[in-house]
Amino acid sequence: MKNFFKDKIYQSYLSVFSLLLIVSICLIAFYQCDKQLIEKHALRHFFNTVITFLFSIPLVSSFRKLRSEHLYLKNKSKKIESLDLLTSAYNRKEGLKILEDLSKSMKQSERSASICFIDILNLTYINNKSGLQAGDNIVKITVNILKDSFRNSDKVVRLEGNKFMVILPDCSLAAKNTLIKKLENKLSLFNKLNKKNYFIELNILYVEYKGEEKESFVNNSINRLALNKKNTSINDSVMQEEILVGINNNEFKTFFQPKIFSKDKKVQFEALVRWIHPEKGMIPPSFFIPVSETSFLIHRITELVLKDSLEAAKKLNTCISVNISPLFFEKESFVRDIKNILVDSESRNLIILEITERSAMTHSLSTLEKMNKLINLGVKFSIDDFGTGYSSLSYLEKFPISELKIDRSFITNVEKSSINSLIISFSVKVGELSGFEVIAEGVETKEEIEKLISLGCHNFQGYYFDKAQPLEVILKDYSKDKYLKKLDFINTEKSD
């Protein structure tokens, strides 16, 4: 390409030189002619000169155009040499050069810069499962997500196969946190909308760069990234893909377990997800929920359960509780995602969102803000697994909850443990004063119910009443008043 333009430029120079030579010869001949000949041929020479001048214009213009194109292609060639061919991100060589330039400027101003190192965790699995083309697509999509998430001034660098570096000069802590959230939201949105049976899972590490030697800095950061890698494995990736296929094939079903309020003679239900695999049969939540929580899949499962619960609440005309994963609850998009599901439903005021005690207390201010936004929509809140987290009653007055669920670990030996009895009794008193219901989880025997009633707890949930069942079974049993009849022994004992 370079030789081609050199030849063109040489030809242009030759043409102009020839033109000037001809003009010079004509001028010499012109001045050597006698006066009569001059007068006789003056007009002809004038036209020749004009024509020669007119012909020279395109030649000069062509020369200037070729020179401009040569400079453009030279600059473009230089730019291409600095980019990764697959993604158009900066390549490693250029990334190190940017770091070096940044180091020089930082030494003069005594500043530092944030560097984001990123690893696509499941790229090898995608390559092996779906082919290299699918892997290349994931790499390109990842770069596009990074470019959309970070600022125009930030530099996205592909270091090697599945590893990237984003250079963030002059980035404050607040700006960095905003960019992190933006990246998480963009990634979550892609995974949510992606129709393929694979998704993107990233390992992210932020490091402060203070001008140290670039090669060692990058290599050390890559090593830290490897140590920072989540405890994922090929088995996790296989499970995640199976979960995604299962969601798309409607293998996940929402079951319902009754919650009994003996004093008010009412029954509510808790929604529980079940995975009915076509080959493996029923897969317990303890097996697939932890894997789902490491990716966007928990969002998809929650969405499915919430939609089924809205339909069930409408048919049963009673409240339905839905468990919310702590990892999903912590996401910035949580309120928006829940609102999108609930906003058009008439039965949204029958939905109770169950969040864990630890989830409520980890970020209490943001928790309160999220709860209030959804309460304005008609949603209620419940604190689940009470006693397994912070084990403190003092925070309960801060949150607008409608019920508190005492963890089953306090119920199992309530007849023998005076400490457990005290916790249950105190929880009930706080509930009475604060205006929320207290429910005992994991109730399995008549003796446990009798002890709980003696402690002032009249609300129960557990296998004694029923295990989680599909909606069609629940509708039938609910219409027959099956669940409240399970408490008939209390009335019988009173009459005796």
Side-chain angles (χ1 to χ4, degrees):
M1 180 66 74
K2 289 182 179 179
N3 290 335
F4 168 79
F5 278 99
K6 282 182 179 179
D7 292 340
K8 288 289 184 184
I9 292 168
Y10 175 76
Q11 290 174 11
S12 297
Y13 276 123
L14 188 61
S15 299
V16 173
F17 177 78
S18 301
L19 177 63
L20 290 173
L21 184 61
I22 292 169
V23 172
S24 299
I25 293 170
C26 290
L27 288 172
I28 292 169
F30 179 82
Y31 284 111
Q32 288 179 349
C33 292
D34 58 24
K35 189 177 180 180
Q36 286 185 347
L37 192 60
I38 290 173
E39 292 177 353
K40 184 178 180 182
H41 298 288
L43 189 59
R44 181 167 60 85
H45 284 299
F46 172 76
F47 282 114
N48 286 341
T49 303
V50 172
I51 291 170
T52 301
F53 175 75
L54 291 175
F55 271 105
S56 69
I57 291 174
L59 286 172
V60 173
S61 176
S62 176
F63 169 72
R64 292 181 64 184
K65 185 178 180 182
L66 284 170
R67 184 173 179 276
S68 176
E69 289 179 359
H70 171 67
L71 292 173
Y72 169 76
L73 287 174
K74 183 178 179 181
N75 292 332
K76 188 174 182 181
S77 176
K78 186 178 179 181
K79 185 177 180 181
I80 289 173
E81 288 176 2
S82 68
L83 300 180
D84 174 64
L85 294 178
L86 177 65
T87 63
S88 295
Y90 290 109
N91 56 30
R92 184 188 180 98
K93 181 180 178 181
E94 186 65 18
L96 293 175
K97 185 177 180 301
I98 294 171
L99 274 184
E100 185 177 4
D101 294 340
L102 187 61
S103 175
K104 292 176 182 177
S105 65
M106 282 173 14
K107 286 177 181 178
Q108 296 173 354
S109 58
E110 297 183 355
R111 294 178 301 171
S112 64
S114 293
I115 311 294
C116 176
F117 289 90
I118 298 163
D119 181 10
I120 305 176
L121 288 172
N122 54 338
L123 184 62
T124 301
Y125 172 74
I126 292 172
N127 282 333
N128 294 336
K129 176 68 177 177
S130 304
L132 295 177
Q133 183 62 50
D136 285 348
N137 288 338
I138 286 293
V139 171
K140 288 190 283 189
I141 290 167
T142 300
V143 169
N144 288 336
I145 290 174
L146 293 177
K147 287 181 177 179
D148 287 344
S149 301
F150 290 95
R151 305 167 300 177
N152 293 332
S153 58
D154 301 330
K155 312 297 183 185
V156 179
V157 181
R158 187 185 183 194
L159 295 172
E160 53 186 76
N162 63 337
K163 293 178 176 61
F164 304 86
M165 172 176 70
V166 184
I167 302 171
L168 298 83
D170 301 319
C171 188
S172 65
L173 179 61
K176 186 173 74 171
N177 291 335
T178 300
L179 293 172
I180 292 172
K181 290 178 180 178
K182 190 175 180 182
L183 173 58
E184 290 175 348
N185 290 337
K186 293 277 185 182
L187 186 64
S188 177
L189 181 61
F190 167 79
N191 286 330
K192 178 183 176 183
L193 300 177
N194 183 28
K195 301 299 181 182
K196 304 287 185 181
N197 287 332
Y198 55 77
F199 50 92
I200 300 175
E201 190 173 1
L202 300 181
N203 179 27
I204 303 173
L205 172 71
Y206 278 90
V207 182
E208 287 300 309
Y209 180 59
K210 299 179 181 179
E212 51 262 58
E213 200 280 318
K214 56 185 183 301
E215 285 280 4
S216 60
F217 169 76
V218 171
N219 291 335
N220 290 337
S221 299
I222 291 295
N223 291 333
R224 286 181 60 188
L225 187 68
L227 293 173
N228 188 52
K229 193 173 261 190
K230 299 174 185 175
N231 295 321
T232 57
S233 64
I234 292 297
N235 290 334
D236 287 339
S237 296
V238 171
M239 174 58 71
Q240 287 172 345
E241 183 178 321
E242 286 189 7
I243 292 171
L244 184 57
V245 171
I247 292 172
N248 293 334
N249 292 342
N250 297 318
E251 296 170 12
F252 286 83
K253 305 296 181 183
T254 305
F255 284 27
F256 301 89
Q257 187 177 36
K259 295 190 301 184
I260 312 302
F261 298 81
S262 61
K263 271 191 172 182
D264 297 330
K265 302 295 182 184
K266 68 179 181 181
V267 181
Q268 296 178 1
F269 296 89
E270 179 179 353
L272 300 166
V273 66
R274 297 290 183 263
W275 184 7
I276 306 174
H277 196 281
E279 297 174 1
K280 301 176 183 178
M282 185 81 77
I283 299 177
S286 59
F287 190 62
F288 65 84
I289 290 295
V291 177
S292 302
E293 286 183 319
T294 63
S295 68
F296 78 103
L297 291 168
I298 194 64
H299 174 280
R300 294 282 298 273
I301 291 173
T302 304
E303 182 180 28
L304 181 152
V305 172
L306 199 48
K307 287 181 177 178
D308 287 348
S309 298
L310 287 165
E311 187 64 27
K314 187 176 181 181
K315 291 180 179 179
L316 293 164
N317 194 29
T318 190
C319 289
I320 306 289
S321 300
V322 178
N323 284 292
I324 299 297
S325 159
L327 293 179
F328 181 35
F329 184 76
E330 288 172 11
K331 286 189 176 296
E332 186 182 8
S333 62
F334 170 74
V335 173
R336 183 178 68 249
D337 292 338
I338 296 297
K339 274 187 174 182
N340 288 339
I341 301 169
L342 298 179
V343 68
D344 295 325
S345 174
E346 296 177 358
S347 53
R348 63 178 180 268
N349 61 326
L350 296 175
I351 294 297
I352 301 174
L353 299 181
E354 292 190 5
I355 60 175
T356 65
E357 180 186 11
R358 186 176 296 276
S359 179
M361 286 299 296
T362 301
H363 304 288
S364 58
L365 289 178
S366 63
T367 295
L368 183 59
E369 183 181 353
K370 290 175 182 178
M371 292 174 76
N372 285 330
K373 285 180 180 178
L374 290 174
I375 284 173
N376 291 336
L377 198 66
V379 175
K380 302 179 185 68
F381 276 91
S382 169
I383 300 294
D384 194 17
D385 299 335
F386 175 75
T388 60
Y390 288 81
S391 300
S392 171
L393 294 168
S394 61
Y395 71 87
L396 293 178
E397 63 179 359
K398 299 178 183 177
F399 300 120
I401 62 174
S402 61
E403 66 179 35
L404 174 74
K405 300 180 77 172
I406 302 174
D407 188 70
R408 66 187 303 272
S409 60
F410 295 97
I411 311 301
T412 304
N413 61 348
V414 65
E415 300 160 79
K416 301 176 182 178
S417 173
S418 58
I419 295 296
N420 287 357
S421 296
L422 182 62
I423 290 173
I424 292 169
S425 180
F426 190 40
S427 300
V428 171
K429 292 295 183 184
V430 171
E432 289 175 355
L433 293 172
S434 302
F436 58 77
E437 302 280 7
V438 176
I439 302 172
E441 289 188 290
V443 176
E444 296 183 356
T445 67
K446 290 181 181 179
E447 290 74 22
E448 288 173 348
I449 292 175
E450 289 174 335
K451 180 63 176 178
L452 288 166
I453 290 175
S454 72
L455 295 172
C457 182
H458 297 271
N459 309 318
F460 322 102
Q461 180 180 348
Y463 281 178
Y464 175 77
F465 298 95
D466 204 352
K467 63 181 181 180
Q469 298 278 15
L471 180 60
E472 55 269 23
V473 176
I474 292 294
L475 285 168
K476 190 181 296 183
D477 291 342
Y478 186 50
S479 64
K480 295 178 180 179
D481 205 21
K482 170 186 172 180
Y483 309 116
L484 287 174
K485 286 180 180 179
K486 291 269 189 173
L487 294 174
D488 284 348
F489 74 91
I490 300 174
N491 298 325
T492 302
E493 290 176 356
K494 283 182 179 179
S495 61
D496 290 344

